[in-house]
Amino acid sequence: MGVLALGSGSELLPTPDFSRVKRYIAGIRPYRRGRFRLELESIGNKLLLHNYGHGGAGVTLSWGCAEEAVGMLRAEVPPPAEVAVLGAGVMGMSTAMVLMEQGYRVKIYTEKFTPDTTSDVAGAQWSPALVNRGPQRRFERIMRKSHRRFARLAEQDYGVTLKANYATRGHGTHLDQIPDGLLAPMERVARLPFAGPAKAGRLYHTFHIEPPIYLPSLLADLYFRGVETEERRFEDARELVALPERAVVNCLGYGARRVFGDEQLQPIRGQLVLLEPQKLPYLLSHRGYIFPRKDGVVLGGSVERGVFVAETDERTCQGIIRKNERFFGL
Ligand SMILES: Cc1cc2nc3c(=O)[nH]c(=O)nc-3n(C[C@H](O)[C@H](O)[C@H](O)COP(=O)(O)OP(=O)(O)OC[C@H]3O[C@@H](n4cnc5c(N)ncnc54)[C@H](O)[C@@H]3O)c2cc1C
């Protein structure tokens, strides 16, 4: 770990223009007490595999969980069986993709598709934030599998980029939970290269995934591979018994609370402010965060435990803007 002495006046990185607000956004992180659920069970004549409850890290864990889930299923129902995937957020689409790569025939049943899922609300940084990770060895295996996929996608036109993330002391610490050897080592920075009061911090490098590019690309790839889809809302797990597929993968995110009665699933609302697009060559984590994307600059993010209504409020979003302005001494 090195110590960088960045931040003399001439090296300052640009300050965002916080007056250019595009819109406010909110979503419910599907946080699960104990651990996220990756588990097999039987329901009637079906084999049911759960893959949900990834809190603020669903994008990060998506590929690893998808590969892990398909590995569990394969031992019971080998390809080319027909599999129903419930949900078309990042978890449902990644799982469907891995299933199809392995020769399964897949049909996705879902109420909503991109751009109307929680996954579309994510920032999305590759980091295991706000999630109960479960056993460490399994978590590391999942992170390594996810990393391999995102590294490959970063070489394509998929909205995945390796970026620098500057973090003030005590923030962005979930980045320290990423297993060793996957990303460049974190460096301490004596003075972060931003206008405003001098602050020491850290420099990480991680993937930034842009959902408005990433999720439609994933869906287009699934259609290209021949996935079937049906728009459908489930009210109760008993409805699954009537599906024609022998195996079902549950990727309903927070929706699993109602359909499967899982009260371990606790909502954590996140509100974000989207500024008009600006050229800012960094991610920043402090009391809030700044993730510049092609569709705009994301300012995040509230952490509102127990709130299950995905709506924004003016006061919280103005607070997010003020917090970021203060960081830059505005
Ligand atoms: C503000 C915010 C910021 C975030 N930032 C990050 C980040 O930086 N990095 C990161 O990795 N993660 C981040 N996340 C977390 C991430 O968005 C979630 O963990 C992830 O989207 C969960 O994916 P999912 O596919 O399980 O659920 P969802 O995206 O919610 O998808 C669930 C799917 O199931 C369908 N469905 C639900 N109920 C029913 C039903 N009853 N019948 C039929 N269909 C149903 C939905 O329509 C949808 O298609 C963030 C989340 C929020 C809210």
Side-chain angles (χ1 to χ4, degrees):
M1 179 177 65
V3 179
L4 293 182
L6 289 174
S8 71
S10 59
E11 296 160 348
L12 293 185
L13 293 170
T15 298
D17 179 349
F18 293 105
S19 69
R20 297 172 57 205
V21 175
K22 192 169 168 184
R23 62 172 189 274
Y24 302 154
I25 318 165
I28 306 298
R29 301 177 184 93
Y31 179 82
R32 192 163 186 270
R33 282 202 203 117
R35 65 172 79 163
F36 57 84
R37 192 164 185 204
L38 204 43
E39 215 170 275
L40 265 176
E41 67 169 329
S42 294
I43 177 166
N45 57 345
K46 307 281 180 217
L47 193 68
L48 174 62
L49 177 56
H50 297 285
N51 184 13
Y52 67 89
H54 306 86
V59 179
T60 303
L61 297 168
S62 55
W63 287 113
C65 286
E67 289 189 16
E68 199 86 350
V70 175
M72 290 162 75
L73 191 75
R74 204 183 163 100
E76 305 288 332
V77 183
E82 292 179 355
V83 180
V85 173
L86 313 185
V90 72
M91 213 49 82
M93 288 204 284
S94 314
T95 306
M97 181 62 83
V98 175
L99 283 165
M100 294 185 88
E101 286 170 355
Q102 297 203 12
Y104 289 94
R105 287 166 292 156
V106 178
K107 183 161 180 177
I108 298 179
Y109 296 88
T110 189
E111 184 180 15
K112 290 180 180 156
F113 291 92
T114 180
D116 298 318
T117 70
T118 301
S119 302
D120 292 275
V121 178
Q125 177 175 222
W126 196 71
S127 184
L130 288 171
V131 65
N132 278 324
R133 297 189 296 269
Q136 186 61 17
R137 274 183 57 189
R138 185 184 75 157
F139 168 72
E140 290 201 6
R141 195 168 65 231
I142 286 170
M143 286 294 282
R144 287 184 194 286
K145 287 176 174 173
S146 265
H147 177 272
R148 200 163 44 234
R149 290 271 185 162
F150 281 115
R152 216 188 299 152
L153 293 173
E155 292 165 4
Q156 303 167 35
D157 207 9
Y158 236 88
V160 180
T161 320
L162 197 60
K163 288 186 183 167
N165 183 341
Y166 293 91
T168 52
R169 211 172 274 148
H171 296 103
T173 48
H174 38 85
L175 285 155
D176 296 324
Q177 307 303 324
I178 295 173
D180 289 346
L182 296 183
L183 302 172
M186 176 272 287
E187 296 175 80
R188 294 194 185 283
V189 182
R191 188 207 193 284
L192 292 175
F194 300 101
K199 290 176 201 71
R202 296 152 169 237
L203 171 59
Y204 297 90
H205 288 87
T206 190
F207 297 115
H208 184 208
I209 297 120
E210 303 199 26
I213 304 172
Y214 182 74
L215 297 174
S217 304
L218 202 47
L219 186 58
D221 270 8
L222 285 168
Y223 280 127
F224 182 75
R225 284 177 176 268
V227 76
E228 283 188 56
T229 58
E230 183 176 318
E231 234 176 273
R232 170 166 176 180
R233 177 178 167 81
F234 296 90
E235 297 297 337
D236 190 291
R238 281 170 296 199
E239 293 167 43
L240 304 184
V241 176
L243 294 178
E245 294 82 7
R246 155 98 174 84
V248 179
V249 190
N250 164 23
C251 302
L252 292 180
Y254 186 67
R257 182 178 163 112
R258 181 190 169 103
V259 177
F260 293 90
D262 184 352
E263 302 206 344
Q264 301 288 83
L265 211 41
Q266 300 290 314
I268 306 182
R269 179 168 70 184
Q271 297 187 54
L272 306 173
V273 174
L274 192 66
L275 304 177
E276 292 293 343
Q278 300 173 40
K279 279 213 165 85
L280 304 169
Y282 57 82
L283 306 178
L284 173 62
S285 301
H286 60 113
R287 286 180 59 225
Y289 55 79
I290 299 182
F291 295 165
R293 305 193 308 216
K294 287 210 171 64
D295 64 321
V297 180
V298 175
L299 306 183
S302 66
V303 176
E304 301 166 70
R305 292 179 190 272
V307 183
F308 58 86
V309 183
E311 287 174 5
T312 58
D313 67 77
E314 184 69 27
R315 200 165 143 262
T316 303
C317 291
Q318 281 297 325
I320 290 172
I321 296 171
R322 271 309 296 147
K323 211 160 39 180
N324 282 286
E325 285 175 332
R326 272 200 294 275
F327 176 88
F328 289 90
L330 299 171

